[in-house]
Amino acid sequence: MTKPPRAAIFFYDEDSQEFKVCNVQRSQVQALIDRAMAMPVLLEEQNTPNAAITDEDARRLGGMLMLMQGTTNPDLRERFKFTTERPMNWESANRGEQG
């Protein structure tokens, strides 16, 4: 029997100041997914069929998820002590909060 497709939900809990993740049946959140802007996550060897998913891919994805939470949690941004390819422009994230 095939298990139903799943979706991982990653979020920052401001009360506990922790990152949290949960795994739910995709059918439970499909309407939200359909309305969201889904961004493809490019892997290092994207052009190679069945390419390995590397440590670097995992680090990049984790960093991207944390940075996405930082766009709406200014206090969290101050805790980030990792390097990004380009400096973060949090001003553009702040403008999005005003709308």
Side-chain angles (χ1 to χ4, degrees):
M1 182 173 162
T2 304
K3 292 184 180 183
R6 310 289 290 183
I9 299 173
F10 176 83
F11 62 99
Y12 179 69
D13 183 327
E14 293 84 1
D15 293 333
S16 66
Q17 296 187 347
E18 297 173 322
F19 288 108
K20 295 186 177 181
V21 65
C22 56
N23 198 19
V24 299
Q25 286 188 15
R26 204 162 61 204
S27 62
Q28 294 176 321
V29 295
Q30 190 62 53
L32 295 171
I33 292 170
D34 292 343
R35 290 192 306 268
M37 182 184 77
M39 298 182 315
V41 177
L42 301 177
L43 304 177
E44 279 191 346
E45 302 294 328
Q46 188 70 33
N47 296 329
T48 306
N50 299 315
I53 298 173
T54 66
D55 290 341
E56 184 58 25
D57 292 322
R59 280 190 283 275
R60 286 178 48 235
L61 177 59
M64 181 173 51
L65 292 171
M66 289 179 183
L67 289 170
M68 289 174 73
Q69 291 301 304
T71 62
T72 55
N73 294 286
D75 294 339
L76 181 60
R77 296 176 204 165
E78 297 171 14
R79 296 174 53 195
F80 292 157
K81 303 298 179 206
F82 53 86
T83 304
T84 58
E85 188 175 324
R86 290 181 293 277
M88 293 303 300
N89 179 357
W90 295 114
E91 287 303 313
S92 63
N94 291 338
R95 280 194 299 272
E97 290 174 3
Q98 295 170 1

